[in-house]
Amino acid sequence: MKPVTKNDRLSVYVEDLTHDGAGVAKVDGYPLFIKDALPGETVTVHVLKTLKSYGFAKLISIEEKSADRIDAPCPVFEICGGCQLQHLSYEGQLKYKEKVVRDAMARLGKLPDVPVHPVKGMDNPWRYRNKSQIPFGQEDGRVVAGFYQPRSHRIADTDICLIQTPEADILMASLKRNLQDMGIEPYEEKTHRGMLRHVVLRKGRVTGELMVVLVTKKQKFPQAERAVEAIRAALPDVTSIMQNVNGDKTNVIFGNETINLWGKDIIEDRIGDVRFEISARSFYQVNPEQTEVLYGQALDYAGLTGTETVIDAYCGIGTISLFLAQRAKFVMGVEIVPQAIEDAKRNAYLNGFTNTLFEAGPAEEVIPRWYKDGKQADVLVVDPPRKGCDEALLQTMLEQQPERIVYVSCNPATLARDLRILEDGGYRTQEVQPVDMFPQTTHVECVAWLTRS
Ligand code: SAH
């Protein structure tokens, strides 16, 4: 028997916070997940749904507040799916993220004793995103733009977003105001009607360069010239305006075709001493200030003296590779997206690196071939997507036994799983350093350092 039923109203004590930021209260051992409730709080909740071993409840009122609770500064925090933790002080967020990483290590990695350092946070944890992807839509004949609501494709309409650049606010508000006058219909996902799907803004943190990408349903875009004028009026410093065409019924943002409407095809940025040219669709870390911290940590753990050969798996446009190439004898990067490899090669050339090699393909296929061809590595760096490393790649690591492995991860759960496999194969996890790349959200990035035992 479940101790609560749907529509019950009761008072509960919140004891924990899940990895996706919901409060957890237990009623006779039965966990209830409560959005926006914080550990240490006594709250009244309304039970929304009960499943066999857990349920969901809505926060109605707070009787006893957590000392870490603050007023979320964003006006749409309650309905927007972008941030989950604005109601928690920044110090509280960092402590929470450290605990998420520790729990993953202990529970999923069976590594309760691995040293997990306090999370490296930001001095100012706002306005940090250098890339904004703003969905446009319509509601009751009105243009709306902002970010999606949690687990939905309804847009939480807003004119400001406190984790994005001020330029994103200016652009969003200005386009929203002028779209109808320009005769541009925002896209409607339900009916696949309309033209403008997303507006993507990218800013070079160091260079200040700005790229705007208008993602349209069709290539034929007669209002392009007026749109360019409006964007240049709103953002006089803009350096690149592109159109990307996505005619598919999909929630993927970009389509295959990208057209220059005005200015340069790329924007440039710098991380540390390395310059990067970034094209409209390439992956580039969204928090450049913390990226420097993250890559600095990876470089530190790589322990380079200038004589090492390094493999950078999942290398994207070669950001980590080039950071490492400053101190290594030779760096080999592999990445599955050919366009990103083109960017990586161009960026190596642009910075005058002659000690790098990049190849497009799946890391789990390319790296074994490198080894077969006699290309040995002293250090292996991996930075896989959320699902973690491919099993075949982990096997290759265990067979080849590089001296050090540096594992950069955006998902503590898959990191812990993969560390367990590497530990069983003879590696020791020396330490884990979490870095806060995404303040106000539940995401946490980690760098783990492993040595052969
Ligand atoms: N290290 C880069 C990119 C990390 S994101 C940076 O810091 O900027 C992860 C990258 O892995 C993405 O660019 C993605 O395209 C790539 N990827 C995904 N699956 C892959 C695979 N099987 N083999 C190689 N690369 C892969």
Side-chain angles (χ1 to χ4, degrees):
M1 267 296 281
K2 293 173 227 163
V4 294
T5 6
K6 188 173 166 175
N7 292 330
D8 278 356
R9 197 168 271 233
L10 64 158
S11 173
V12 292
Y13 177 76
V14 184
E15 49 188 76
D16 206 354
L17 206 53
T18 65
H19 66 96
D20 40 61
V24 189
K26 289 200 177 134
V27 184
D28 298 337
Y30 178 86
L32 273 180
F33 298 117
I34 311 150
K35 189 175 168 300
D36 298 335
L38 293 175
E41 295 188 324
T42 303
V43 297
T44 298
V45 301
H46 180 98
V47 178
L48 296 170
K49 189 175 179 178
T50 58
L51 300 171
K52 200 167 154 231
S53 48
Y54 58 91
F56 297 92
K58 185 177 152 79
L59 180 65
I60 301 294
S61 60
I62 305 171
E63 274 70 62
E64 191 93 42
K65 255 193 202 179
S66 159
D68 285 332
R69 179 175 284 278
I70 59 166
D71 286 332
C74 171
V76 292
F77 174 64
E78 310 287 314
I79 56 162
C80 177
C83 297
Q84 300 78 38
L85 298 176
Q86 285 195 14
H87 59 312
L88 179 59
S89 70
Y90 191 53
E91 212 175 296
Q93 292 181 23
L94 295 179
K95 271 189 278 168
Y96 157 73
K97 291 184 184 189
E98 184 182 330
K99 183 170 174 292
V100 168
V101 176
R102 278 183 197 289
D103 285 353
M105 289 304 135
R107 288 217 313 267
L108 306 168
K110 305 275 177 285
L111 292 164
D113 302 321
V114 156
V116 175
H117 295 294
V119 182
K120 287 190 177 169
M122 299 184 79
D123 290 338
N124 175 12
W126 300 100
R127 298 282 186 196
Y128 59 84
R129 279 189 76 98
N130 68 340
K131 180 183 178 189
S132 311
Q133 307 188 120
I134 307 161
F136 273 71
Q138 44 187 318
E139 222 164 74
D140 310 324
R142 216 165 41 90
V143 180
V144 292
F147 194 75
Y148 294 121
Q149 298 183 19
R151 286 176 296 281
S152 128
H153 265 224
R154 279 195 66 186
I155 293 167
D157 187 35
T158 181
D159 280 348
I160 61 161
C161 174
L162 298 171
I163 61 170
Q164 299 184 159
T165 54
E167 287 88 347
D169 289 355
I170 295 169
L171 182 68
M172 185 159 69
S174 147
L175 283 178
K176 220 187 286 187
R177 240 187 356 257
N178 296 319
L179 220 51
Q180 269 161 341
D181 282 351
M182 292 192 283
I184 302 173
E185 201 190 342
Y187 181 71
E188 199 186 34
E189 208 172 89
K190 237 184 4 224
T191 56
H192 197 52
R193 278 189 46 208
M195 187 66 163
L196 183 67
R197 301 175 69 129
H198 271 85
V199 174
V200 178
L201 177 74
R202 239 177 193 170
K203 184 179 180 183
R205 179 173 79 107
V206 177
T207 60
E209 292 189 350
L210 285 171
M211 173 187 278
V212 176
V213 188
L214 302 174
V215 184
T216 58
K217 190 177 76 179
K218 289 190 180 146
Q219 191 209 348
K220 193 161 165 274
F221 182 36
Q223 303 93 339
E225 212 167 303
R226 297 190 69 184
V228 166
E229 255 169 63
I231 292 165
R232 291 184 61 200
L235 298 175
D237 293 335
V238 68
T239 47
S240 162
I241 304 176
M242 310 290 287
Q243 179 193 354
N244 175 273
V245 186
N246 185 354
D248 294 346
K249 286 187 181 167
T250 170
N251 54 16
V252 174
I253 295 178
F254 286 118
N256 284 328
E257 191 181 1
T258 307
I259 301 160
N260 182 305
L261 295 180
W262 183 87
K264 299 201 291 179
D265 283 346
I266 48 102
I267 63 164
E268 206 181 301
D269 199 17
R270 268 204 305 276
I271 304 176
D273 294 327
V274 189
R275 280 164 67 194
F276 293 99
E277 284 188 1
I278 310 149
S279 52
R281 293 184 53 201
S282 285
F283 176 90
Y284 185 68
Q285 298 279 357
V286 299
N287 183 337
E289 191 181 327
Q290 289 296 86
T291 298
E292 207 167 325
V293 176
L294 184 77
Y295 291 177
Q297 189 64 63
L299 188 60
D300 208 31
Y301 285 159
L304 302 177
T305 61
T307 59
E308 295 83 1
T309 299
V310 186
I311 290 179
D312 180 19
Y314 309 92
C315 72
I317 63 165
T319 32
I320 296 181
S321 323
L322 299 187
F323 224 66
L324 297 166
Q326 302 175 98
R327 304 258 187 88
K329 183 166 141 222
F330 199 74
V331 178
M332 303 187 279
V334 53
E335 152 68 42
I336 206 160
V337 176
Q339 177 63 52
I341 286 294
E342 291 309 307
D343 283 3
K345 288 180 180 167
R346 204 179 58 242
N347 285 324
Y349 175 77
L350 195 72
N351 286 281
F353 287 114
T354 50
N355 58 340
T356 59
L357 174 153
F358 290 100
E359 188 171 330
E364 61 275 18
E365 288 174 19
V366 172
I367 293 174
R369 182 159 43 70
W370 281 347
Y371 277 115
K372 229 199 265 144
D373 294 347
K375 296 194 178 85
Q376 302 289 328
D378 306 291
V379 183
L380 212 144
V381 179
V382 296
D383 182 9
R386 289 190 66 76
K387 65 172 194 258
C389 285
D390 190 277
E391 230 185 295
L393 179 61
L394 293 168
Q395 283 317 315
T396 302
M397 291 174 175
L398 294 180
E399 280 159 27
Q400 299 299 332
Q401 299 269 317
E403 218 167 287
R404 285 186 292 287
I405 297 173
V406 179
Y407 193 136
V408 182
S409 160
C410 57
N411 184 348
T414 54
L415 171 65
R417 179 201 66 196
D418 291 351
L419 291 183
R420 180 72 266 159
I421 295 171
L422 294 169
E423 289 262 342
D424 290 343
Y427 279 88
R428 285 293 152 267
T429 309
Q430 299 294 342
E431 44 185 87
V432 178
Q433 175 63 62
V435 177
D436 194 19
M437 304 284 282
F438 311 101
Q440 320 307 330
T441 79
T442 50
H443 295 286
V444 56
E445 193 91 10
C446 290
V447 194
W449 169 35
L450 296 96
T451 54
R452 200 169 53 192
S453 62

